């Protein structure tokens, strides 16, 4: 494999190489320029929301940021290098440490990208960057004949386990985030994203694959952020470029009818106002049905409903130059499983899609933060007391927010706490995850749902929660030994002007959480 550059640890001077040498990669990946990690070196200060330390480099062994595995508390994950190369690529170096004293830890399954086939999780393919402004999750390049331009357990001889008290360092080569930022949000499948990690344009110390030396495919996941009105009349999905507004057919129409109800006018008026504020010249209106009935009924009914919505929107718009495209899809494009009444309700919809309006520049309004100093809750599972504490709600670029919270088994026996994935919309996701979490803007009467990552497939698109996974190789994430604490996270859209939101996490009480 062709290498990007090699740097001697003594003087960090570059030299080019086109050798297929993995030994240099392994030596530097395992030891770094400064030799084995110093167990006495200071760790970054503890923080509820993982953030970067001030200044550090991979060659000193000091961490730029760290987090802990939700699944395995003794697995510490540290970013020790984040180098932008040629202005277009990023080389991320991650140190994995077993801080325990007894058990070896398996790392490959933990660090593998769970949106890829299971056979590819033996690689560090889950190391990624959240490009918040572009609403994109960036993952390592995929070269021809290999799952990942990153460290591999078998190929690089790293082994499956990390012994107690020992560390290994793995790498990933991936696209650089847009806009040439000074910092990045580093994501892994292991724990909460690490924020404000500094990016350097200095050459990395090490020998890494050059993505320009062979054909590679960028691996990206589109991040979709959803919200809905509290009256369930509409649900909006925002990918940073377009708005997709799913208007409830149960609100717009009577059963088996295509005439708009009186209640539909306020719903249509809000949608028309958003179209007016957008740069749209073309608006798509599509009617959809659930799986009840036959195509002979559903197809023409969904088209007539789309046409009725289009006529109403046309009459409400205040600007010219907008053209509509109207289609009826019947039951062919469900968003949710039709196996439940809730899934069928959500699938009965008229979808209006157009370019996203630019948010107006506004100062956050004054809001109260009743209860914001007490961010804890409690419940019981398997007879054991379960405690929860919100540890942060952080505003990120691009209108995103990161919610972090920890859950502790305060009892004397092991307990399964399974309420994190019991959301009404869990069927929309490929795997179970911590989807049973909502943020609500009480004043605007709007609820925000966990973000989702879209992965194209031969049959369409699979959706994965942009949150802590609790299935697959992490199937025991909801299993808590006595006294154990685990940290969870979710990505959301955040309203531009709110200072405090109501958070509802599983069965715990409502909390009012300040955004920082």
């Amino acid at each position: 494999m062709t290498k990007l550059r090699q740097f001697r640890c003594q003087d960090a001077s570059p030299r080019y190489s086109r050798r297929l040498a993995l030994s240099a990669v392994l030596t530097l990946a395992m030891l770094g320029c400064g030799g084995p990690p110093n167990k006495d070196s200071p760790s970054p200060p503890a923080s509820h929301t993982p953030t970067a330390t001030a200044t550090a480099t991979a060659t000193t062994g000091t961490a730029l940021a760290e987090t802990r595995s939700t699944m395995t508390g003794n697995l510490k994950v540290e970013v020790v290098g984040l180098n932008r190369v040629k202005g277009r690529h990023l080389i991320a170096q991650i140190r994995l440490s077993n801080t325990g004293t007894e058990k070896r830890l398996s790392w490959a399954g933990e660090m593998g990208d769970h949106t890829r086939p299971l056979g590819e999780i033996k690689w560090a393919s889950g190391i990624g960057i959240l490009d918040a402004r572009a609403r994109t999750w960036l993952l390592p390049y995929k070269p021809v004949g290999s799952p990942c331009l990153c460290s591999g357990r078998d190929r690089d001889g790293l082994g499956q386990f990390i012994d107690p008290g020992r560390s290994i360092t793995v790498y990933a080569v991936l696209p650089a985030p847009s806009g040439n930022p000074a910092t990045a949000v580093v994501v892994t499948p292991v724990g909460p994203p690490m924020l404000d990690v500094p990016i350097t344009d200095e050459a990395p110390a090490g020998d890494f694959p050059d993505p320009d030396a062979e054909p590679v495919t960028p691996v990206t996941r589109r991040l979709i952020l959803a919200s809905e009105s509290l009256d369930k009349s509409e649900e909006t999905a925002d990918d940073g470029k377009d708005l997709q507004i799913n208007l409830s057919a149960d609100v717009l129409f009577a059963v088996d009818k295509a005439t708009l109800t009186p209640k539909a006018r306020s719903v249509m008026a809000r949608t028309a106002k958003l179209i007016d504020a957008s740069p749209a010249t073309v608006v798509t209106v599509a009617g959809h049905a659930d799986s009840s009935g036959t195509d002979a009924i559903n197809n023409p009914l969904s088209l007539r409903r789309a046409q009725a919505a289009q006529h109403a929107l046309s009459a409400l718009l205040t600007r010219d130059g907008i053209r509509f495209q109207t289609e009826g899809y019947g039951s062919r494009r469900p968003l949710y499983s039709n196996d439940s009444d809730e899934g069928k309700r959500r699938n009965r919809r008229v979808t209006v899609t157009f370019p996203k309006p630019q948010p107006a520049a506004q100062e956050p309004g004054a809001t109260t933060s009743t209860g914001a100093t007490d961010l804890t809750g409690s419940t019981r599972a398997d007879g054991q007391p379960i405690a929860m504490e919100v540890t942060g709600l952080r505003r990120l670029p691009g209108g995103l927010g990161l919610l972090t919270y920890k859950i502790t088994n305060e009892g004397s026996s092991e307990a399964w706490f399974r309420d994190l994935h019991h959301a009404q919309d869990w069927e929309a996701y490929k795997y179970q995850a911590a989807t049973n979490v909502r943020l609500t803007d009480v004043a605007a009467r709007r609820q925000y749902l966990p973000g989702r990552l879209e992965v194209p497939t031969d049959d369409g698109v699979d959706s994965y929660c942009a949150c802590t996974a609790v299935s697959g190789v992490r199937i025991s994430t909801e299993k808590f030994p006595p006294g154990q604490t685990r940290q969870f996270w979710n990505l959301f859209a955040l309203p531009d002007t709110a200072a405090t939101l109501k958070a509802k996490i599983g069965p715990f009480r409502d909390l009012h959480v300040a955004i920082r």
Side-chain angles (χ1 to χ4, degrees), residues 290-312:
D290 64 23
S291 60
S292 302
T294 65
D295 289 345
I297 296 174
N298 289 335
N299 291 345
L301 178 62
S302 64
L303 177 58
R304 293 199 306 272
R305 286 179 166 182
Q307 291 169 338
Q310 180 254 304
H311 292 151

Side-chain angles (χ1 to χ4, degrees), residues 35-87:
N38 182 357
K39 67 179 180 180
D40 298 322
S41 61
S43 299
S47 172
H48 287 319
T49 302
T51 56
T53 55
T55 57
T57 63
T59 54
T60 64
T62 306
L64 301 169
E66 79 167 63
T67 190
R68 288 275 177 167
S69 167
T70 300
M71 179 72 182
T72 309
N74 288 332
L75 181 59
K76 182 168 69 171
V77 181
E78 300 169 292
V79 182
V80 292
L82 199 58
N83 299 74
R84 186 164 32 220
V85 179
K86 302 181 183 179

Side-chain angles (χ1 to χ4, degrees), residues 53 127 136 195 212 221 283 343 353 385 434 436 439 457 486:
T53 55
I127 298 172
T136 303
L195 310 182
D212 294 330
R221 310 300 188 214
V283 175
T353 306
N436 195 14
L439 297 179
T457 68
R486 287 179 168 162

Side-chain angles (χ1 to χ4, degrees), residues 152-233:
R153 186 191 74 186
D154 298 332
R155 186 198 66 189
D156 295 347
L158 293 172
Q160 181 175 349
F161 297 100
I162 306 173
D163 291 329
R166 301 302 296 263
S167 302
I168 65 170
T169 301
V170 295
Y171 74 88
V173 185
L174 60 162
S178 59
N180 200 38
T183 64
V185 178
V186 178
V187 293
T188 72
V190 172
M194 293 170 277
L195 310 182
D196 303 327
V197 184
I199 301 174
T200 178
D201 288 301
E202 296 179 1
D207 185 14
F208 303 98
D210 181 1
D212 294 330
E214 59 179 311
V216 295
T217 302
V219 179
T220 61
R221 310 300 188 214
R222 208 166 57 128
L223 177 61
I224 308 297
L225 300 172
S227 63
E228 63 184 6
S229 58
L230 293 185
D231 64 3
K232 308 294 186 183
S233 62

Side-chain angles (χ1 to χ4, degrees), residues 241 243 245 268-281 283 313 316-320 322 354-361 496:
K241 180 182 178 182
L243 284 186
I245 302 179
M268 304 302 291
R270 174 186 177 273
T271 305
K273 186 176 180 180
L274 289 171
I275 295 173
D276 272 333
S278 80
T281 57
V283 175
L313 289 172
L316 291 167
L317 294 177
T318 61
R319 68 180 178 89
D320 298 325
I322 297 176
F354 53 91
K356 178 182 176 181
Q358 293 299 313
D496 296 328

Side-chain angles (χ1 to χ4, degrees), residues 211-417:
D212 294 330
E214 59 179 311
V216 295
T217 302
V219 179
T220 61
R221 310 300 188 214
R222 208 166 57 128
L223 177 61
I224 308 297
L225 300 172
S227 63
E228 63 184 6
S229 58
L230 293 185
D231 64 3
K232 308 294 186 183
S233 62
E234 54 85 9
E235 175 186 332
T236 299
D238 178 359
D239 66 0
K241 180 182 178 182
D242 293 329
L243 284 186
Q244 179 178 290
I245 302 179
N246 297 312
L247 307 176
S248 171
D250 291 6
V251 173
L252 298 183
F253 308 100
V255 176
D256 294 334
K257 302 297 183 182
T259 302
L260 290 168
T261 65
K263 188 177 180 180
R265 180 168 180 81
S266 62
V267 179
M268 304 302 291
R270 174 186 177 273
T271 305
K273 186 176 180 180
L274 289 171
I275 295 173
D276 272 333
S278 80
T281 57
V282 177
V283 175
T284 301
V285 183
H288 301 272
D290 64 23
S291 60
S292 302
T294 65
D295 289 345
I297 296 174
N298 289 335
N299 291 345
L301 178 62
S302 64
L303 177 58
R304 293 199 306 272
R305 286 179 166 182
Q307 291 169 338
Q310 180 254 304
H311 292 151
L313 289 172
S314 298
L316 291 167
L317 294 177
T318 61
R319 68 180 178 89
D320 298 325
I322 297 176
R323 181 168 55 89
F324 285 88
Q325 295 178 344
T326 307
E327 183 62 83
Y329 290 102
S331 60
R332 298 193 299 276
R333 296 189 177 183
L335 286 178
Y336 300 91
S337 169
N338 281 298
D339 292 338
S340 68
D341 290 340
E342 176 63 15
K344 288 181 177 179
R345 182 192 71 79
R346 289 176 179 245
N347 286 331
R348 296 189 296 268
R349 67 197 192 277
V350 172
T351 300
V352 184
T353 306
F354 53 91
K356 178 182 176 181
Q358 293 299 313
Q362 294 178 323
E363 293 295 326
T367 59
T368 59
S369 57
T370 305
T373 56
D374 181 10
L375 300 179
T376 62
S378 61
T379 188
R380 299 187 73 83
D382 292 341
Q384 304 302 305
I386 305 296
M388 183 274 297
E389 179 184 0
V390 172
T391 55
L393 178 54
R394 174 78 177 269
R395 191 181 292 277
L396 306 181
L400 273 68
L402 173 66
L403 176 71
T404 54
Y405 49 101
K406 60 185 182 181
I407 293 176
T408 303
N409 178 2
E410 295 186 330
S412 57
S413 301
E414 181 179 271
W416 280 90
F417 178 67

